[in-house]
């Protein structure tokens, strides 16, 4: 019997050479007359070990990584395919790697384990059991379960998902929609991408359950155009789901209908904001709509619409299958369940870390992340994407919990953690925040559109040492104007990273910025 | 390695693409994507065709095209090379990479090299943030890109073109 070897296939593993490795491994195995079957799994999200190949053995899956093409000969010499672990890249049982073992993988339990497009694999690992239960329940029963789980939106605003669904259920309409927000624009985040590339049926199942819950028969996944592989994987999975009566007019013979389509965004960060996203789906410019009315009442094409992040919808199959209490059991305070954190930037052990809310940011960055990649001292951390505050060391003991972060003037957002070493120039980072807002503002309100342009200019003057005190004051005022006078969080939160940089890293605004000559 | 759409502008092909998609709810973005994937850019003549098919104004179509960074109205080079400018890549040296890329290619963002091999574009995150700096060429994403590996990447794109000739 041939030995099964898993080689990851997500975007990051590919960016590290996984495709070429898979091809070459097949060739070397054939040359050596070794009988192997290569399966392309997603990824476990242990990125510093990618490409992380796994050998299926009677004891479990044995890992080797990071594997490069040049390692293939020695790996075969060491008979890695037999599960022998003499090779220096051997990692032992993958499930026992502390980085993975110490996580609470509820949403990501299948990622990297299964072939993403195998419906059989998905079903063999509890897939579609949540839907089976949902089909036996009333709409209100489904929503009550989601409410009891304590799930809050994972897209950034942390609004209780069950309450949003209730609003849509209670809004009478012939047509309602489920819209999945897969715009994942925040730098430092890739958890949505991992769901879509590694376990796409989970998202399809979650959206189908949501449709049953609120009475919607059409779903759209609004996917950013920067994710071509996710687009392909989702479309393949959706086709398979249709072929197996898991989507369409008669789901599993229940007589219930749910249709699903992927729509591609076009490189606009603001289209992650839910009303801008709806405008974009309608084929318009992504101008933010004033709220109220809420999308739950007047949403896509004017109809009641659930807009949820990928991770919110992806948590639903587990909740229905294992029960609300199993999910709510994890976490702290009002932050129930798990958040898939993403360690990024200058980090030694970057990747996906799904944890119950509660541990400190420091534990995440050091116990999991292992500090900076280049070994220099860690200086600043941006949590929650480009609109999130920069945290100095004095705040690293903050618990990973929505309310604890809010208490520090920071956000958890979508769980992205971007680490910077001591070479970072925080006035340059502040400048970038404003510059990003200039590039991505939808243009509807003046404080956001013009304020950000002024912000760049003022920071440039501060960095050049012109009238520093007066310009710092001007920048503070400008930030307040943006916070107070913006329609959405783009203009309203861009000041967060700027203000936190000024407050905690004031020394970087106190001397002229290094010229390029000095840096080099 | 994927390249940009290269079918020369052809109104009949464009009309067929538009007709196939125009009945979708919110059809404009799918149409623009399909046209750009096919022709490499949105040709100016496409605007009137789309406006007529969707019963909207040309101004509206123009407005949408210009709102989104992804859509282009001029034919790019054979390869669009996108450098991630976002924070996680900055933390790993993306600023130096950007500066190097611009000087090595002798072009700024949104410009095309003289030999038309490469159009350089900024991008804000490719979701490859644990292994930056990241660069996208067509549908391929590259990790840990250094100035040296960037040069190799460009050399590959150039020689690939020579081999094709
Ligand atoms: C500028 C801006 C960008 C946003 N980008 C995203 C995004 O990429 N993905 C996302 O799920 N939510 C994003 N949001 C939040 C959405 O507006 C919305 O709160 C979310 O999709 C609701 O889903 P949830 O309740 O499941 O989190 C963004 C908000 C703003 C203001
Ligand atoms: S704050 Fe900015 S992005 Fe948000 S609506 Fe106003 S102009 Fe548009
Ligand atoms: S910040 Fe560059 S890939 Fe995400």
């Amino acid at each position: 019997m041939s030995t099964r070897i898993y080689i990851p296939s997500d975007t990051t593993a590919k960016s590290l050479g996984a495709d070429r490795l898979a091809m070459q491994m097949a060739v070397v195995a054939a040359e050596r007359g070794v009988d192997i079957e290569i399966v392309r799994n997603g990824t476990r999200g242990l990125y510093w070990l990618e490409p992380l190949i796994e050998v299926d053995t009677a004891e479990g899956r044995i890992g080797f990584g990071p594997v490069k093409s040049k390692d293939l000969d020695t790996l075969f010499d060491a008979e890695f395919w037999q599960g022998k672990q003499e090779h220096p890249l051997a990692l032992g049982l993958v499930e026992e790697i502390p980085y993975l073992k110490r996580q609470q993988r509820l949403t990501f339990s299948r990622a990297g384990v299964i072939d993403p497009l195998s419906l059989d694999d998905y079903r063999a690992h509890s897939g579609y059991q949540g839907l089976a239960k949902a089909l036996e329940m009333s709409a209100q029963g489904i929503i009550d379960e989601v409410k009891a789980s304590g799930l809050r939106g994972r897209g950034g605003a942390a609004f209780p998902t069950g309450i949003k669904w209730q609003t849509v259920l209670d809004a009478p309409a012939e047509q309602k929609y489920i819209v999945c927000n897969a715009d994942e624009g925040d730098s430092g985040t890739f958890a949505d991408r991992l769901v879509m590339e590694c376990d796409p049926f989970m998202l399809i199942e979650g959206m189908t359950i949501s449709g049953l819950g609120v009475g919607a028969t059409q779903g759209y996944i609004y996917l950013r155009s920067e994710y071509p592989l996710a687009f392909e994987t989702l479309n393949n999975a959706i086709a398979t789901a249709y072929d197996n009566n898991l989507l369409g007019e008669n789901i599993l013979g229940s007589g219930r209908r749910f249709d699903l389509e992927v729509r591609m965004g076009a490189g606009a960060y603001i289209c992650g904001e839910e009303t801008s996203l709806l405008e974009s789906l309608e084929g318009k410019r992504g101008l933010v709509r004033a709220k109220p009315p809420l999308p739950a009442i007047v949403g896509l094409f004017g109809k009641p619409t659930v807009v949820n992040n990928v991770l919110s919808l992806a948590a639903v199959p587990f909740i229905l299958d294992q029960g609300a209490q199993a999910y709510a059991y994890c976490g702290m305070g009002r932050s129930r369940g798990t958040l898939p954190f993403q360690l990024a930037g200058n980090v030694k052990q970057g990747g996906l870390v799904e944890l119950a809310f509660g541990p400190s940011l420091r534990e995440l960055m050091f116990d999991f992340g292992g500090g900076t990649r280049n070994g220099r001292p860690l200086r600043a951390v941006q949590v929650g994407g480009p609109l999130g505050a920069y945290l100095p060391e004095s705040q690293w003991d903050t618990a990973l919990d929505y309310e604890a972060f809010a208490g520090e003037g920071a956000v958890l957002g979508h769980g992205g953690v971007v680490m910077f070493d001591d070479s970072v120039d925080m006035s340059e980072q502040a400048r970038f925040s404003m510059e990003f807002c200039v590039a991505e503002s939808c243009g509807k309100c003046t404080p956001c559109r013009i304020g950000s342009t002024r912000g760049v200019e003022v920071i440039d003057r501060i960095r050049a040492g012109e009238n520093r005190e007066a310009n710092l004051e001007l920048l503070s005022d400008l930030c307040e104007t943006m916070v107070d006078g913006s329609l959405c969080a783009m203009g309203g939160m861009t000041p967060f990273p700027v203000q936190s940089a000024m407050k905690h890293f004031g020394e970087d605004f106190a001397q002229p910025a290094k010229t390029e000559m000095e840096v080099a | 390695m994927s390249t940009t759409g290269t079918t020369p502008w052809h109104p009949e092909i464009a009309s067929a693409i538009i007709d196939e998609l125009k009945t979708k709810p919110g059809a404009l973005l799918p149409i623009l994507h399909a046209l750009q994937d096919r022709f490499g850019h949105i040709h100016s003549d496409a605007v009137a065709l789309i406006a007529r098919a969707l019963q909207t104004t040309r101004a509206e179509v123009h407005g949408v095209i210009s709102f989104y960074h992804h859509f282009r109205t001029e034919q790019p080079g054979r390869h669009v090379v996108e450098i991630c400018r976002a924070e996680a890549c900055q933390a790993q040296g993306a600023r130096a990479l950007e500066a190097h890329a611009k000087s090595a290619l002798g072009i700024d963002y949104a410009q095309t090299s003289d030999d038309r091999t490469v159009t350089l574009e900024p991008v804000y995150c490719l979701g490859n943030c644990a292994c930056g700096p990241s660069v996208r060429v067509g549908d391929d994403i590259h990790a840990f890109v250094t100035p040296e590996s960037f040069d190799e990447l460009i050399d590959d794109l150039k020689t690939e073109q020579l081999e094709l000739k």
Side-chain angles (χ1 to χ4, degrees):
Chain A
M1 215 181 79
S2 61
T3 313
R4 190 172 294 168
I5 314 269
Y6 292 88
I7 304 183
S9 67
D10 87 304
T11 294
T12 293
K14 282 176 188 275
S15 78
L16 295 166
D19 284 348
R20 195 169 356 119
L21 187 71
M23 246 155 55
Q24 288 167 338
M25 183 177 295
V27 172
V28 176
E31 278 168 8
R32 293 183 178 234
V34 177
D35 187 14
I36 59 168
E37 178 201 356
I38 294 176
V39 176
R40 302 303 298 272
N41 55 339
T43 176
R44 307 265 190 171
L46 276 55
Y47 278 146
W48 83 101
L49 295 175
E50 291 289 0
L52 165 57
I53 65 175
E54 300 179 28
V55 179
D56 212 8
T57 74
E59 288 74 44
R61 282 156 65 163
I62 310 265
F64 297 84
V67 178
K68 299 203 166 54
S69 304
K70 66 171 171 50
D71 302 316
L72 280 174
D73 275 325
T74 53
L75 277 167
F76 275 92
D77 290 346
E79 302 189 338
F80 83 106
W81 79 92
Q82 309 241 29
K84 292 191 187 168
Q85 297 183 49
E86 273 103 67
H87 197 277
L89 294 179
L91 299 164
L93 287 170
V94 175
E95 311 266 345
E96 295 296 321
I97 297 174
Y99 192 95
L100 188 58
K101 196 179 168 74
R102 293 176 51 209
Q103 300 190 26
Q104 288 86 42
R105 290 210 165 180
L106 307 185
T107 299
F108 285 88
S109 63
R110 280 174 297 261
V113 176
I114 62 169
D115 168 354
L117 288 172
S118 164
L119 186 56
D120 289 342
D121 274 9
Y122 183 65
R123 283 188 156 132
H125 291 82
S126 320
Y128 277 116
Q129 290 177 13
L131 179 66
K133 295 209 171 118
L135 284 169
E136 306 287 312
M137 295 163 75
S138 67
Q140 188 61 53
I142 293 171
I143 291 177
D144 288 344
E145 201 67 26
V146 174
K147 278 186 189 163
S149 75
L151 176 65
R152 291 162 72 181
R154 302 294 188 231
F159 187 81
T161 303
I163 294 179
K164 184 182 286 186
W165 290 16
Q166 186 74 56
T167 309
V168 178
L169 174 65
D170 293 344
E174 275 181 21
Q175 180 68 58
K176 299 178 187 179
Y177 297 101
I178 309 295
V179 171
C180 171
N181 188 339
D183 202 51
E184 194 161 64
D186 291 359
S187 167
T189 66
F190 40 80
D192 293 349
R193 176 177 68 70
L194 287 192
V195 166
M196 299 183 282
E197 291 180 355
C198 305
D199 201 3
F201 290 112
M202 172 170 58
L203 178 58
I204 298 171
E205 183 182 354
M207 291 185 73
T208 310
I209 295 170
S210 179
L212 296 174
V214 306
T217 53
Q218 175 70 49
Y220 290 102
I221 299 172
Y222 185 87
L223 176 70
R224 66 199 303 252
S225 56
E226 290 83 355
Y227 284 180
L229 182 62
F231 183 70
E232 188 187 317
T233 309
L234 282 173
N235 278 321
N236 285 331
I238 287 172
T240 303
Y242 269 105
D243 287 345
N244 288 275
N245 282 327
L246 291 159
L247 283 173
E249 59 188 2
N250 187 12
I251 293 171
L252 295 176
S254 65
R256 311 291 298 274
R257 172 174 207 125
F258 191 69
D259 289 297
L260 183 56
E261 188 183 328
V262 187
R263 286 291 177 89
M264 188 105 105
Y269 179 77
I270 193 59
C271 288
E273 194 283 332
E274 56 185 3
T275 62
S276 165
L277 185 157
L278 294 175
E279 291 286 304
S280 184
L281 264 181
E282 291 181 8
K284 304 177 194 153
R285 290 176 297 159
L287 299 184
V288 172
R289 297 178 186 169
K291 286 187 272 194
L294 292 173
I297 295 169
V298 182
L300 186 62
F301 303 115
K303 302 290 187 235
T305 303
V306 168
V307 183
N308 270 139
N309 174 251
V310 173
L311 297 178
S312 316
L313 293 161
V316 168
F318 176 93
I319 292 167
L320 268 286
D321 177 26
Q322 304 284 314
Q325 291 318 317
Y327 192 77
Y329 174 77
C330 299
M332 72 176 271
R334 293 203 296 120
S335 304
R336 305 316 313 173
T338 58
L339 188 64
F341 293 96
Q342 299 126 84
L343 283 172
N346 191 341
V347 57
K348 195 165 162 197
Q349 302 183 155
L352 182 96
V353 184
E354 182 176 355
L355 292 178
F357 292 91
S360 71
L361 176 61
R362 191 187 293 275
E363 285 173 73
L364 177 62
M365 296 192 297
F366 289 94
D367 295 358
F368 287 91
T372 59
R373 183 174 152 81
N374 58 2
R376 291 180 70 127
L378 182 67
R379 179 157 183 249
V381 192
Q382 189 177 32
V383 182
L387 310 178
Y390 283 97
L391 288 83
E393 175 153 19
S394 59
Q395 293 182 321
W396 297 347
D397 292 310
T398 309
L400 298 166
D401 160 69
Y402 292 122
E403 278 67 40
F405 262 64
E408 296 291 323
V411 292
L412 278 185
H414 187 53
V417 175
V418 178
M419 295 160 56
F420 291 80
D421 72 16
D422 62 348
S423 68
V424 66
D425 175 346
M426 295 304 294
S427 66
E428 193 171 31
Q429 294 311 116
R431 184 190 192 278
F432 177 80
S433 299
M434 287 290 187
E435 191 190 348
F436 184 66
C437 187
V438 173
E440 301 298 329
S441 165
C442 86
K444 205 162 174 172
C445 21
T446 317
C448 171
R449 188 183 71 240
I450 307 291
S452 54
T453 309
R454 290 288 162 278
V456 173
E457 293 164 4
V458 175
I459 295 174
D460 279 343
R461 287 204 288 275
I462 294 169
R463 283 164 56 82
E466 284 173 38
N467 284 334
R468 191 169 290 124
E469 292 308 313
N471 277 315
L472 278 169
E473 205 161 306
L474 191 59
L475 182 57
S476 298
D477 290 349
L478 194 63
C479 284
E480 277 167 37
T481 308
M482 288 175 72
V483 171
D484 295 339
S486 297
L487 182 58
C488 83
M490 181 81 223
M493 285 173 63
T494 288
F496 286 16
V498 179
Q499 290 167 320
S500 62
M502 289 199 288
K503 181 169 171 198
H504 302 298
F505 304 92
E507 62 274 23
D508 289 14
F509 295 79
Q511 63 238 337
K514 294 192 192 86
T515 63
E516 275 183 36
M517 290 281 283
E518 282 166 345
V519 173
Chain B
M1 199 172 295
S2 53
T3 52
T4 40
T6 50
T7 307
W9 170 250
H10 198 298
E12 275 162 38
I13 299 177
S15 291
I17 290 174
I18 295 167
D19 280 343
E20 198 186 309
L21 296 170
K22 70 180 181 192
T23 55
K24 271 181 184 284
L28 185 48
L29 262 70
I31 288 175
L32 294 174
H33 273 296
L35 292 175
Q36 180 158 307
D37 287 350
R38 183 66 177 258
F39 301 109
H41 69 292
I42 314 284
H43 193 274
S44 53
D45 292 352
V47 174
L49 296 178
I50 298 170
R52 197 174 325 129
L54 297 183
Q55 297 174 340
T56 179
T57 62
R58 282 188 289 173
E60 181 64 30
V61 178
H62 265 304
V64 170
I65 294 171
S66 59
F67 183 86
Y68 295 96
H69 301 304
H70 179 81
F71 297 127
R72 55 179 85 248
T73 49
E74 274 168 38
Q75 184 64 12
R78 267 182 54 78
H79 299 278
V80 176
V81 173
E82 295 171 283
I83 301 183
C84 177
R85 295 196 69 210
E87 289 90 339
C89 286
Q90 291 165 9
Q92 284 279 88
R95 286 196 181 91
L97 178 66
E98 282 182 272
H100 171 82
K102 289 180 186 175
S103 74
L105 293 167
I107 52 176
D108 205 337
Y109 283 133
Q111 294 181 347
T112 302
S113 60
D114 285 341
D115 63 1
R116 300 208 59 80
T117 308
V118 169
T119 297
L120 199 62
E121 294 284 356
V123 66
Y124 296 96
C125 193
L126 295 163
N128 198 40
C129 328
C131 303
S134 306
V135 168
R136 176 176 174 182
V137 183
D139 283 349
D140 293 334
I141 290 166
H142 301 264
F144 297 124
V145 181
T146 60
E148 295 73 41
S149 68
F150 182 84
D151 289 345
E152 286 168 23
L153 191 65
I154 299 297
D155 281 347
D156 286 350
L157 298 179
K158 291 192 168 160
T159 43
E160 180 202 61
Q161 194 169 0
L162 288 179
E163 281 159 13
L164 283 174
K165 274 183 185 164

